[in-house]
Amino acid sequence: MNVDALTGGFDRRDWQEQTETNDPVRFAMIGVGWWTTEQAMPAVDAGDLCETTVLVSSDREKAADVAADSETVEHAITYEEFHDGAASDAYDAVYIVTPNALHLPYVETAAELGKAILCEKPMEATIERAERMVEVCDEHDATLMIAYRMHTEPAVRRAKDLIDEGYIGEPLFVHGNMTEPILELVPDPDQWRLDGELSGGCAVMDIGLYPLNTSRFLLDADPVAVRGTVASVQEEFADVPDEHGAFQLDFPGHMYAMCTASQNAHLDSHISVLGTEGKVRVEPAFYPWDDRALQLSHEGTTVDIDFEQIDQMEEEFEYFAHCLLTDTEPYADGEHGLVDINTIKAIYEASETESTVTLD
């Protein structure tokens, strides 16, 4: 195996043509929780192609306090004011990071206002609401991207390159895991992730989505059937079906993914693809505060592949802004997100019926 060939020539932003602008994409952040203040806003500030100009929250005072610490935020408004069109001249795009079942109303309003939309995953709590998101964006010709940050993560992109270049032969099996002790990370038993109506599910919906979607990205394929088992054991998870979950995805061409997820387990994340001639593995993989590591096994040799560690959220925002500035359709559009919602709901059905569920 030519190790030198593996470490050179990788362009983490092979999608990028425009590197600077005098007219950055202006974002309204919808939802001003810790993810927005600690991850999204700093990522936008660090980038070159966008800026945050509007904050939207249920609590105007909270939004105003955050805005006071920002050099670019011009307006702090309520959800009601957003729906009424307040400050709509001050932003070009929205980033939606409310609970899952509350995404749709903000997508509808943003689309009606002619704004581009970056919506956190999973895109909604039900298939019907997710489908409506796609419909309303089509009706108003609004750009919709679902925020899958693994698509712009260098470790994952390099892993896909190695698979596409044939270093593992024909892909056969994906093994993926994402687990966390959610009540230690967010010590609130009344949080929305544990409310089935707001979340639409728990372990599989919230973090099982990562190995699911990354499997699709690495294999460049969509699942055709699923099997799965989910369970909630502890009292705190009584209102959701899946404190823990394990599922199998069948892909065309006899490729399979085995995935696990838990909201009440040791913090861990990894994904690997085993082929007829080798294996590629990313571990840690999915948490943005971890330094990712990439390893390739081929021809009896295992090597660590070098790549640049980056801020996953900065890459995601810069990619979306780049798409808007260059009039390019983003990769993870609403139809892409719908595949995941349909797959996740099929996993829950497979667990309940103890059967294999075929996907359309």
Side-chain angles (χ1 to χ4, degrees):
M1 179 165 53
N2 186 341
V3 176
D4 291 337
L6 297 176
T7 57
F10 173 62
D11 178 6
R12 83 168 204 262
R13 287 191 176 183
D14 56 4
W15 45 264
Q16 188 164 32
E17 300 173 0
Q18 184 169 337
T19 58
E20 58 186 21
T21 180
N22 293 322
D23 189 22
V25 174
R26 302 168 302 164
F27 271 98
M29 300 281 175
I30 302 178
V32 191
W34 73 271
W35 184 263
T36 297
T37 58
E38 296 180 23
Q39 298 289 335
M41 290 180 67
V44 170
D45 287 344
D48 298 314
L49 303 180
C50 52
E51 62 184 13
T52 303
T53 56
V54 178
L55 297 178
V56 188
S57 173
S58 61
D59 186 335
R60 184 199 305 278
E61 185 175 341
K62 175 183 178 181
D65 287 344
V66 175
D69 293 329
S70 169
E71 295 182 358
T72 61
V73 175
E74 303 168 358
H75 302 275
I77 62 176
T78 65
Y79 292 142
E80 292 78 9
E81 289 170 332
F82 170 79
H83 289 304
D84 288 339
S88 59
D89 290 339
Y91 63 93
D92 310 299
V94 300
Y95 172 58
I96 301 172
V97 65
T98 61
N100 301 337
L102 303 181
H103 290 173
L104 176 59
Y106 300 103
V107 170
E108 290 176 322
T109 295
E112 290 166 2
L113 291 171
K115 307 302 181 181
I117 301 149
L118 178 62
C119 182
E120 264 303 337
K121 60 202 171 299
M123 59 191 294
E124 248 289 352
T126 69
I127 294 172
E128 293 75 21
R129 291 174 68 81
E131 289 175 337
R132 177 57 189 156
M133 286 174 61
V134 174
E135 290 172 359
V136 74
C137 289
D138 287 344
E139 289 169 4
H140 295 278
D141 197 25
T143 297
L144 171 62
M145 174 177 155
I146 311 303
Y148 295 103
R149 65 180 186 269
M150 290 303 108
H151 296 174
T152 48
E153 161 57 52
V156 173
R157 291 179 70 83
R158 186 67 180 108
K160 180 170 172 53
D161 280 353
L162 295 171
I163 294 167
D164 292 346
E165 291 165 9
Y167 279 97
I168 69 166
E170 296 296 324
L172 297 172
F173 302 112
V174 180
H175 296 89
N177 175 74
M178 190 171 186
T179 51
E180 63 187 14
I182 190 61
L183 286 171
E184 292 180 20
L185 298 175
V186 184
D188 178 7
D190 296 322
Q191 62 180 281
W192 65 266
R193 289 176 181 82
L194 306 184
D195 181 327
E197 291 189 4
L198 284 176
S199 65
C202 190
V204 176
M205 192 77 164
D206 190 39
I207 56 178
L209 181 64
Y210 281 82
L212 189 169
N213 184 265
T214 308
S215 296
R216 293 176 57 203
F217 180 70
L218 292 172
L219 298 178
D220 194 22
D222 294 337
V224 295
V226 302
R227 283 165 288 281
T229 301
V230 301
S232 287
V233 180
Q234 301 300 320
E235 182 179 353
E236 295 88 343
F237 296 86
D239 292 334
V240 291
D242 53 330
E243 177 183 350
H244 314 291
F247 54 93
Q248 177 180 315
L249 310 171
D250 295 359
F251 289 89
H254 305 291
M255 299 183 294
Y256 307 93
M258 279 64 73
C259 305
T260 48
S262 176
Q263 291 283 29
N264 192 21
H266 174 71
L267 188 75
D268 181 78
S269 74
H270 62 80
I271 193 161
S272 64
V273 184
L274 178 73
T276 55
E277 300 176 18
K279 181 176 74 171
V280 63
R281 183 178 182 87
V282 182
E283 184 179 13
F286 304 131
Y287 290 103
W289 47 79
D290 287 334
D291 282 349
R292 274 72 64 196
L294 174 61
Q295 191 176 77
L296 172 68
S297 299
H298 177 73
E299 296 180 344
T301 301
T302 297
V303 296
D304 296 320
I305 308 297
D306 293 331
F307 59 91
E308 183 179 359
Q309 298 288 340
I310 51 83
D311 183 319
Q312 291 180 346
M313 292 295 288
E314 180 183 340
E315 295 294 291
E316 180 179 79
F317 275 105
E318 288 288 276
Y319 171 74
F320 182 63
H322 186 272
C323 288
L324 299 182
L325 291 170
T326 59
D327 196 25
T328 303
E329 286 295 319
Y331 168 70
D333 61 8
E335 294 289 348
H336 181 97
L338 271 176
V339 173
D340 284 337
I341 297 296
N342 279 289
T343 303
I344 289 168
K345 296 304 182 180
I347 291 167
Y348 291 139
E349 180 185 347
S351 178
E352 185 175 351
T353 60
E354 298 183 346
S355 65
T356 297
V357 176
T358 301
L359 298 167
D360 295 333

